[in-house]
Amino acid sequence: MREKVTGHLYLIPVPIDQNDNTSILLSKDKNIVEHLNYFVVENEKTARFHLGALNLHKPINQLHFEVIDQTKTQEDITSYLTPLLEGFDIGLLSESGCPAIADPGSKMVALAHQKNIRVIPMTGPSSIILALMASGLNGQQFKFHGYLPLEKEDRIKKIIAIENESSKYHETQIFIETPYRNQHIFNDLISKLQDKTKLCIALDMSSENEFILTKKIADWKKEVTPDLKNKPCVFLLQG
Amino acid sequence: MREKVTGHLYLIPVPIDQNDNTSILLSKDKNIVEHLNYFVVENEKTARFHLGALNLHKPINQLHFEVIDQTKTQEDITSYLTPLLEGFDIGLLSESGCPAIADPGSKMVALAHQKNIRVIPMTGPSSIILALMASGLNGQQFKFHGYLPLEKEDRIKKIIAIENESSKYHETQIFIETPYRNQHIFNDLISKLQDKTKLCIALDMSSENEFILTKKIADWKKEVTPDLKNKPCVFLLQG
């Protein structure tokens, strides 16, 4: 009997801008997606939209979708591996940018490693890396914090701790915020950080309205404040 | 008199695998590179090779190259901005992957921000992000350390500090090593980390020989050690 061959788990990026209906996959990766029938996705509607943008040679309603989100149990996610164990490949898609970075997809990847499934990441846009490249800040040592604490007092403590850490170790510190709260964070940063600390604001990455600017806090204080409201923003600082 | 218009600084990724002669740019970005005449590059020979792979519509020997490496002074790099100030666009390329991440290109980007030059990053492969996606480790909080200390004693101290930090804050810790020393680092990791710590080895990213595997230290001890020698490798751990 020949050895059982398992499928591969492909990690498929989508545009950062959710309204972007262009394909951001390299042609070699698009060819791989062409042969996939099974998908595990953060949101089925947006996954269908992004796969539609690839102009696949088969109808999207013939594809199988499973949804991985915060409501799913470890057992649910384990069941999603079944096609892989039967030898079929699966594509994993998140809502925005690279899957399995800051989304529940990493649970699926972790299980795949446990089952000796080969995991293959495809190149695509990462707002963290694009912002870091364009910031001019240290790309040799950096830390991504995800979201800052919700409570103002905790948030300010965290901002100051981050600045100290950055000064001490010469690291770039990166974080994001829920878009409607960007302006509050920006105000906290301007008022609490030291004048010599560098702050980069990276707004609407990869869209027509992309805005990326690095200035010392002293200079941000003189600048007309960019309109941050309801725009996806990556904040980067170096003390 | 109309206001002086400055050029844009485009950050142009190249393949991670230096022998890869395919274009890894999206078509919209390739169209931008078509119109560029000025380049600032980490290595002129490899930059010419990667630009050649794009099949540009003009001879590469008509393009202007300036080299940015560790030997260049701040004054040298400032002089590279001249075409931007005169209204011409410049493309920045590093030796491998995304420019201005872990290379001297970030100095050029920092100067561009000081001169109010618009900086536009292009999507391309980042071995750090590809490895993190495929690791199944925490992508919500992570830290990139660059290279570990050269001296064995310092390196082991650092490895243990990194593991403690990861356990405490639930962060993925990422680092790289000079390829000929990979095997030593791997041995240090296996012998010094706790059995329950997860370690991901990501070798030869984006090439035909790509190998990405995450296991607990206890399980790596039972595994046949992958051949790490002289292969680019990203190490990721989560305690």
Side-chain angles (χ1 to χ4, degrees):
Chain A
M1 209 180 97
R2 82 186 167 91
E3 205 189 345
K4 176 85 180 155
V5 178
T6 54
H8 296 167
L9 177 61
Y10 290 99
L11 311 183
I12 306 170
V14 298
I16 294 173
D17 175 4
Q18 288 192 34
N19 300 314
D20 183 350
N21 66 351
T22 58
S23 163
I24 48 81
L25 291 185
L26 300 176
S27 59
K28 72 179 173 69
D29 292 334
K30 194 190 153 196
N31 292 340
I32 291 169
V33 178
E34 282 285 355
H35 86 256
L36 301 177
N37 292 305
Y38 295 90
F39 293 89
V40 173
V41 302
E42 196 176 358
N43 179 308
E44 186 169 336
K45 191 178 160 196
T46 56
R48 284 175 183 273
F49 174 76
H50 292 305
L51 291 170
L54 295 176
N55 293 314
L56 302 176
H57 293 133
K58 57 190 158 194
I60 290 183
N61 60 18
Q62 286 180 13
L63 305 175
H64 302 267
F65 291 91
E66 297 285 0
V67 174
I68 188 169
D69 60 24
Q70 301 296 356
T71 69
K72 295 299 188 294
T73 63
Q74 191 78 351
E75 204 173 15
D76 293 329
I77 301 171
T78 302
S79 73
Y80 296 168
L81 273 81
T82 309
L84 290 167
L85 300 172
E86 289 171 349
F88 298 102
D89 297 336
I90 290 184
L92 182 72
L93 280 82
S94 81
E95 269 286 85
S96 169
C98 297
I101 305 277
D103 75 42
S106 63
K107 291 179 187 169
M108 175 89 180
V109 178
L111 283 173
H113 281 287
Q114 284 176 32
K115 302 278 186 192
N116 288 307
I117 302 293
R118 190 168 166 204
V119 180
I120 302 175
M122 292 178 178
T123 291
S126 156
S127 57
I128 302 166
I129 288 293
L130 290 167
L132 182 60
M133 286 161 71
S135 68
L137 303 179
N138 184 16
Q140 183 74 42
Q141 280 93 26
F142 59 90
K143 184 164 172 179
F144 178 66
H145 294 268
Y147 294 90
L148 295 195
L150 205 63
E151 291 300 326
K152 191 176 170 82
E153 201 177 318
D154 296 339
R155 193 166 67 227
I156 288 171
K157 267 189 205 160
K158 180 77 178 180
I159 287 170
I160 292 168
I162 279 177
E163 183 184 43
N164 286 337
E165 204 176 323
S166 175
S167 297
K168 194 169 168 190
Y169 302 108
H170 188 63
E171 289 164 3
T172 300
Q173 306 281 333
I174 310 172
F175 48 93
I176 50 177
E177 194 38 84
T178 315
Y180 76 90
R181 294 172 62 236
N182 281 340
Q183 194 66 55
H184 298 289
I185 297 282
F186 181 79
N187 296 345
D188 291 344
L189 292 168
I190 295 300
S191 62
K192 301 296 173 187
L193 295 176
Q194 293 181 46
D195 273 358
K196 66 178 177 51
T197 292
K198 287 181 176 175
L199 172 68
C200 179
I201 302 291
L203 280 171
D204 284 324
M205 300 292 294
S206 269
S207 84
E208 277 177 22
N209 303 315
E210 183 175 271
F211 170 94
I212 308 167
L213 190 59
T214 302
K215 294 213 168 278
K216 288 184 184 162
I217 293 297
D219 295 325
W220 274 116
K221 285 177 179 169
K222 299 174 204 158
E223 187 86 8
V224 179
T225 308
D227 178 15
L228 308 173
K229 210 179 167 191
N230 295 334
K231 295 177 179 175
C233 182
V234 181
F235 297 91
L236 305 92
L237 68 84
Q238 190 177 339
Chain B
M1 208 180 96
R2 83 187 166 89
E3 204 188 345
K4 178 88 180 151
V5 177
T6 54
H8 296 165
L9 178 60
Y10 289 99
L11 310 183
I12 306 170
V14 298
I16 294 174
D17 175 4
Q18 288 192 35
N19 300 315
D20 184 350
N21 67 351
T22 59
S23 162
I24 49 80
L25 290 184
L26 299 176
S27 60
K28 72 177 172 69
D29 291 334
K30 195 191 151 193
N31 292 339
I32 291 170
V33 177
E34 282 286 355
H35 87 255
L36 301 177
N37 292 307
Y38 295 91
F39 293 89
V40 174
V41 302
E42 196 176 357
N43 180 308
E44 187 169 335
K45 191 179 162 196
T46 56
R48 284 175 183 273
F49 174 77
H50 291 307
L51 290 171
L54 294 176
N55 293 314
L56 302 177
H57 294 134
K58 57 190 157 194
I60 289 183
N61 60 18
Q62 287 179 13
L63 305 175
H64 303 267
F65 290 91
E66 297 285 0
V67 174
I68 189 170
D69 60 24
Q70 301 297 355
T71 69
K72 296 298 188 292
T73 63
Q74 192 78 352
E75 206 174 14
D76 294 330
I77 301 170
T78 302
S79 73
Y80 296 168
L81 272 81
T82 307
L84 291 167
L85 300 173
E86 289 172 348
F88 299 102
D89 297 336
I90 292 184
L92 182 72
L93 280 82
S94 81
E95 269 286 87
S96 168
C98 296
I101 304 276
D103 74 44
S106 64
K107 292 180 188 169
M108 175 89 182
V109 179
L111 283 173
H113 281 288
Q114 284 177 28
K115 302 279 186 192
N116 288 309
I117 303 293
R118 192 168 165 205
V119 179
I120 302 176
M122 293 178 175
T123 291
S126 155
S127 58
I128 302 166
I129 288 292
L130 289 168
L132 182 60
M133 287 162 72
S135 68
L137 303 179
N138 184 17
Q140 182 73 43
Q141 282 92 27
F142 60 89
K143 184 164 173 178
F144 178 65
H145 294 267
Y147 294 89
L148 294 195
L150 206 64
E151 291 300 325
K152 191 177 169 80
E153 203 178 315
D154 297 339
R155 191 165 69 227
I156 288 171
K157 268 188 204 160
K158 180 77 177 181
I159 288 170
I160 291 167
I162 279 176
E163 183 184 42
N164 286 338
E165 204 176 324
S166 175
S167 297
K168 194 169 167 191
Y169 302 107
H170 187 63
E171 290 164 2
T172 300
Q173 306 281 332
I174 310 172
F175 48 93
I176 51 178
E177 196 36 86
T178 316
Y180 76 91
R181 295 170 62 234
N182 281 340
Q183 194 66 54
H184 298 288
I185 296 282
F186 181 79
N187 296 346
D188 290 344
L189 292 168
I190 295 300
S191 62
K192 302 295 174 186
L193 294 176
Q194 292 180 47
D195 273 357
K196 66 178 176 54
T197 293
K198 286 180 177 175
L199 172 67
C200 179
I201 301 291
L203 278 171
D204 283 325
M205 298 292 294
S206 268
S207 84
E208 277 178 23
N209 303 316
E210 182 174 271
F211 170 94
I212 307 166
L213 190 58
T214 302
K215 294 213 167 277
K216 288 184 184 162
I217 294 296
D219 294 326
W220 273 117
K221 285 177 179 170
K222 297 172 203 159
E223 188 88 7
V224 179
T225 308
D227 177 15
L228 308 173
K229 209 178 167 192
N230 295 334
K231 295 177 180 175
C233 181
V234 181
F235 296 91
L236 306 92
L237 68 83
Q238 191 178 339

